[in-house]
């Protein structure tokens, strides 16, 4: 157990639907990062939050949004889902910034049918 | 901007042989460098990190990596491969501070008995 908790582990949904992925960072970590992993794109950075504030954005689609709450857990919202959104979504956390190295959760496998 | 290339998407070694996984980076500032390992159906786990201290970095499971600024490389090695080393390995870079970590495409390591 890495200390980063992601729920749900698996999610199957239909095109056009909306889902929410949840991440609880390791105790004491202030930064949360979301990554998408697919066979053709590899590991793509989506977005970073630090202590509730958005700090960096990567290749995140407009249909996707995220937030970090006062208790530091984070949610990634994916809407108007398309088949191509099927992927593993990882959350990672670190004490402060990227230079600390990340602790990853075990991921949420999203399948859009 | 930072980027990472990993030479060889797939590497096969015999059990007991030397493991060498190659990583080259591009960074406009002194980088922080990482190696992560991903076992099937799991999240990424930090193997080791370089943060401008010693150029030879020792990590978990007998792995080590050497930072060579002149070659912009951070190759991962292990003297003797074990069956349990079979996994996907990712090299990653960040410019530290608030910057996000950028991952390479990964190298899949197979260990042949």
């Amino acid at each position: 157990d890495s200390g980063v908790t992601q729920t749900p582990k698996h999610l199957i949904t239909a095109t056009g639907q909306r889902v929410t992925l949840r991440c609880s960072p390791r105790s004491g970590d202030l930064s949360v990062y979301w990554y998408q992993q697919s066979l053709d794109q590899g590991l793509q950075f989506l977005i970073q939050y630090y202590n509730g504030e958005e700090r960096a954005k990567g290749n995140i689609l407009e249909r996707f949004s995220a937030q970090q709450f006062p208790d530091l857990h984070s949610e990634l919202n994916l809407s108007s889902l398309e088949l191509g959104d099927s992927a593993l979504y990882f959350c990672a956390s670190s004490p402060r910034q990227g230079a600390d190295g990340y602790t990853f959760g075990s991921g949420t496998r999203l399948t859009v049918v | 901007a930072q980027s990472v290339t990993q030479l060889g998407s797939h590497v096969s070694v015999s059990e007991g042989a030397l493991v060498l996984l190659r990583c080259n980076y591009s960074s406009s500032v002194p980088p922080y460098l990482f190696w992560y390992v991903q076992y099937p159906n799991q999240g990424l786990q930090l193997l080791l990190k370089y943060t401008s201290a010693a150029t030879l970095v020792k990590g978990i499971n007998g792995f080590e990596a050497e930072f060579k600024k002149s070659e912009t490389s951070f190759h991962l090695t292990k003297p003797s491969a074990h069956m349990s080393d079979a996994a996907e390995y990712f090299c990653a870079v960040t410019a530290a501070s608030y910057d996000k970590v950028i991952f390479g495409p990964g190298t899949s390591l197979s260990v042949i008995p």
Side-chain angles (χ1 to χ4, degrees):
Chain A
D1 181 10
S2 68
V4 177
T5 304
Q6 288 188 250
T7 57
K9 292 193 182 304
H10 302 276
L11 199 49
I12 301 175
T13 190
T15 54
Q17 294 299 303
R18 182 180 189 274
V19 298
T20 298
L21 312 184
R22 182 187 170 101
C23 169
S24 294
R26 195 178 56 165
S27 178
D29 286 357
L30 299 178
S31 282
V32 169
Y33 311 80
W34 286 96
Y35 283 82
Q36 179 193 59
Q37 186 178 39
S38 60
L39 282 175
D40 55 343
Q41 299 277 354
L43 204 58
Q44 296 288 316
F45 169 72
L46 295 178
I47 198 164
Q48 174 200 357
Y49 282 86
Y50 174 75
N51 203 21
E53 293 186 6
E54 182 184 304
R55 278 300 170 89
K57 256 186 176 179
N59 301 320
I60 188 167
L61 300 171
E62 286 191 10
R63 301 183 284 108
F64 295 0
S65 64
Q67 58 184 128
Q68 186 179 30
F69 294 87
D71 66 352
L72 301 178
H73 91 271
S74 177
E75 292 181 357
L76 179 67
N77 300 298
L78 315 176
S79 61
S80 302
L81 285 167
E82 302 174 358
L83 296 177
D85 297 327
S86 297
L88 260 174
Y89 290 84
F90 284 109
C91 167
S93 71
S94 67
R96 293 165 299 155
Q97 331 294 355
D100 297 324
Y102 294 171
T103 300
F104 277 81
S106 56
T108 293
R109 182 173 294 280
L110 173 66
T111 303
V112 183
V113 298
Chain B
Q2 289 73 44
S3 66
V4 175
T5 56
Q6 292 183 241
L7 185 62
S9 60
H10 187 87
V11 170
S12 291
V13 299
S14 298
E15 190 174 16
L18 171 72
V19 175
L20 171 60
L21 304 181
R22 300 179 186 275
C23 170
N24 288 89
Y25 69 91
S26 172
S27 179
S28 55
V29 298
Y32 288 67
L33 294 158
F34 311 85
W35 276 100
Y36 286 82
V37 60
Q38 184 180 27
Y39 298 101
N41 300 314
Q42 294 186 27
L44 281 73
Q45 178 183 2
L46 182 64
L47 269 180
L48 49 81
K49 63 180 179 182
Y50 166 76
T51 56
S52 74
T55 56
L56 183 62
V57 181
K58 294 187 184 300
I60 62 172
N61 301 338
F63 284 93
E64 62 181 36
E66 185 173 9
F67 172 69
K68 292 187 177 180
K69 184 178 179 181
S70 61
E71 299 177 8
T72 61
S73 69
F74 190 58
H75 301 332
L76 181 71
T77 60
K78 181 174 180 178
S80 176
H82 192 272
M83 296 298 293
S84 61
D85 294 327
E88 189 87 14
Y89 291 80
F90 294 90
C91 183
V93 63
T94 183
S97 187
Y98 293 95
D99 208 353
K100 57 190 177 293
V101 173
I102 302 299
F103 287 84
T107 296
S108 177
L109 175 67
S110 297
V111 181
I112 305 165

